[in-house]
Amino acid sequence: MDDSSNCFSSCVGFGNNYWSPRLFFSIWSSNDDLKADVLLKFRFVSRNANAIKSQVNNILHQNFELNESFLKINTSLPYLRDVSEVQAEHILNSGCGLGKELPSMDRIADGKISKKADWPWQASLQIDGTHFCGASLISEKWLLTAAHCFDINKNPRVWTVSFGTTLSPALMRREVQSIVLHEKYAPHKHDGDIAVVKLSTPVTFSSNVHRVCLPDTNFEVMPENKVFVTGWGALSPDGFYPNSLREVELKIISNDKCNQVDVYGGAVSSGMLCAGFLTGNHDACEGDSGGPLVISHNRNIWYVVGIVSWGIGCAKENKPGVYTKVTHYRDWIKSKTNI
Ligand code: ARG
């Protein structure tokens, strides 16, 4: 089973905030082609929680042992354990790609303010509390971003990361432990514009902060596919920088089209992809760099397919945004982060 078909989606029903879970158990069942994590949260209101806990435990053990023929249970793991509400939220939100639920609408939206929890992997890379670039959370410790974000400063100690849809107040902040730039990247150039950033302390996942899915090398995006880019970048080339995260819906443009003489005339290499409209109007802009270009795949699971990299101006006719193509660098990401 891949990352996207994890417990996350099947557990949503248990994630109601008004529940105050005190116990949950996990079953790891597997055979050759199926592995499932199942979490059930219990809330015990009575005082004799321990008695109920051991009763539940017995029932589970008995049933699982009877059903061993089709369910292989890892009995070395405790069936029941106590967790705090924060830990339970962390586990329930540890899957990737659960974000905005796409309504069945086909109209293209103008850039607009994003709703809380729509893009929970979006991070802001900052120096002295000032936003410089976007980034995407790909695990509890790693962010994916653009290498050119660090042209200004490569020292991890000057950088901090914030999460949540508003820059101020931020929902969560972290310090940076290390920055790994692609070996092929040269400052102020566009090739190899990818970097991974390791946080000093892992984030605690919640419904508002969790990771995006990374596509496999063979994940294909097609021209005309609907994608979204998000960020706190400028609303126009010299325009104002918003405090609230914004999103805009774009379409993938083929590299052939993007390399036409009147567009980028060959500057778009196989490690890049274009998204936007040749008619202009919708685009990322300064300050969005490093941020995610995402696509919804299967049941609203979001994959980061591009990293905001470059463009001529913003939202200009024949000058769409150019993104680092994540699948092209998938093995590089794995080699640096083990994700
Ligand atoms: N280089 C810009 C930055 O550092 C992002 C450029 C994206 N431009 C565009 N038109 N899509 O924030």
Side-chain angles (χ1 to χ4, degrees):
M1 240 188 214
D2 70 26
D3 239 7
S4 60
S5 35
N6 46 36
C7 163
F8 204 7
S9 40
S10 51
C11 280
V12 166
F14 299 105
N16 299 332
N17 288 334
Y18 57 84
W19 267 51
S20 118
R22 292 186 48 199
L23 286 168
F24 78 100
F25 74 92
S26 313
I27 308 167
W28 282 262
S29 70
S30 63
N31 58 29
D32 285 348
D33 54 9
L34 176 76
K35 180 179 173 290
D37 292 329
V38 181
L39 298 182
L40 294 181
K41 300 202 296 191
F42 296 92
R43 183 169 72 132
F44 296 118
V45 277
S46 72
R47 278 167 204 275
N48 54 350
N50 276 339
I52 299 174
K53 186 174 164 182
S54 72
Q55 223 175 334
V56 172
N57 222 351
N58 285 341
I59 295 168
L60 292 176
H61 272 274
Q62 275 165 20
N63 278 288
F64 291 156
E65 267 135 41
L66 285 178
N67 289 326
E68 270 275 38
S69 53
F70 82 95
L71 268 183
K72 279 193 197 128
I73 312 288
N74 184 348
T75 45
S76 63
L77 294 158
Y79 289 134
L80 285 172
R81 70 186 154 105
D82 285 294
V83 291
S84 69
E85 188 149 5
V86 171
Q87 276 174 308
E89 281 308 302
H90 178 76
I91 295 165
L92 287 169
N93 286 292
S94 61
C96 68
L98 204 70
K100 187 187 182 80
E101 296 209 14
L102 282 185
S104 42
M105 54 127 201
D106 7 88
R107 274 213 5 227
I108 289 163
D110 277 317
K112 60 170 190 225
I113 295 179
S114 308
K115 287 215 293 288
K116 212 171 149 187
D118 275 354
W119 316 108
W121 41 84
Q122 174 84 48
S124 156
L125 283 168
Q126 311 184 344
I127 297 182
D128 291 333
T130 302
H131 167 88
F132 273 90
C133 264
S136 312
L137 191 64
I138 53 168
S139 80
E140 53 183 5
K141 266 210 140 172
W142 287 96
L143 298 172
L144 181 68
T145 188
H148 83 260
C149 291
F150 305 101
D151 285 357
I152 182 174
N153 198 322
K154 287 182 187 53
N155 180 356
R157 265 175 296 223
V158 307
W159 290 93
T160 56
V161 180
S162 86
F163 297 92
T165 49
T166 53
L167 293 176
S168 165
L171 198 59
M172 198 191 295
R173 287 186 185 282
R174 286 293 182 271
E175 287 181 349
V176 170
Q177 184 176 320
S178 55
I179 297 166
V180 187
L181 308 184
H182 196 283
E183 296 72 12
K184 217 172 67 184
Y185 176 74
H188 312 290
K189 294 269 159 52
H190 300 316
D191 267 316
D193 192 10
I194 185 168
V196 284
V197 172
K198 192 175 190 183
L199 303 174
S200 302
T201 44
V203 301
T204 307
F205 294 134
S206 66
S207 54
N208 295 319
V209 181
H210 53 253
R211 65 197 176 100
V212 67
C213 299
L214 280 169
D216 286 341
T217 327
N218 56 13
F219 186 105
E220 274 194 272
V221 290
M222 297 294 183
E224 298 300 305
N225 274 174
K226 182 165 132 175
V227 285
F228 278 84
V229 64
T230 51
W232 291 277
L235 301 190
S236 60
D238 309 301
F240 117 107
Y241 283 76
N243 183 49
S244 294
L245 183 66
R246 298 181 71 90
E247 63 187 45
V248 67
E249 188 182 320
L250 306 172
K251 280 188 173 169
I252 298 288
I253 298 170
S254 73
N255 283 28
D256 280 351
K257 230 180 186 178
C258 209
N259 271 324
Q260 284 170 3
V261 271
D262 50 343
V263 187
Y264 286 124
V268 179
S269 65
S270 57
M272 304 175 191
L273 59 85
C274 297
F277 303 92
L278 295 186
T279 48
N281 289 322
H282 307 267
D283 196 3
C285 202
E286 298 317 306
D288 287 321
S289 280
L293 180 77
V294 289
I295 191 162
S296 167
H297 188 63
N298 282 342
R299 302 173 287 118
N300 278 316
I301 298 290
W302 294 88
Y303 286 80
V304 58
V305 291
I307 302 166
V308 180
S309 179
W310 63 278
I312 294 183
C314 302
K316 281 184 18 184
E317 191 184 334
N318 281 340
K319 302 292 173 232
V322 188
Y323 297 77
T324 306
K325 189 173 179 178
V326 175
T327 51
H328 188 86
Y329 294 98
R330 185 64 187 90
D331 296 337
W332 180 84
I333 298 170
K334 170 96 183 158
S335 73
K336 303 297 172 186
T337 64
N338 211 20
I339 304 166

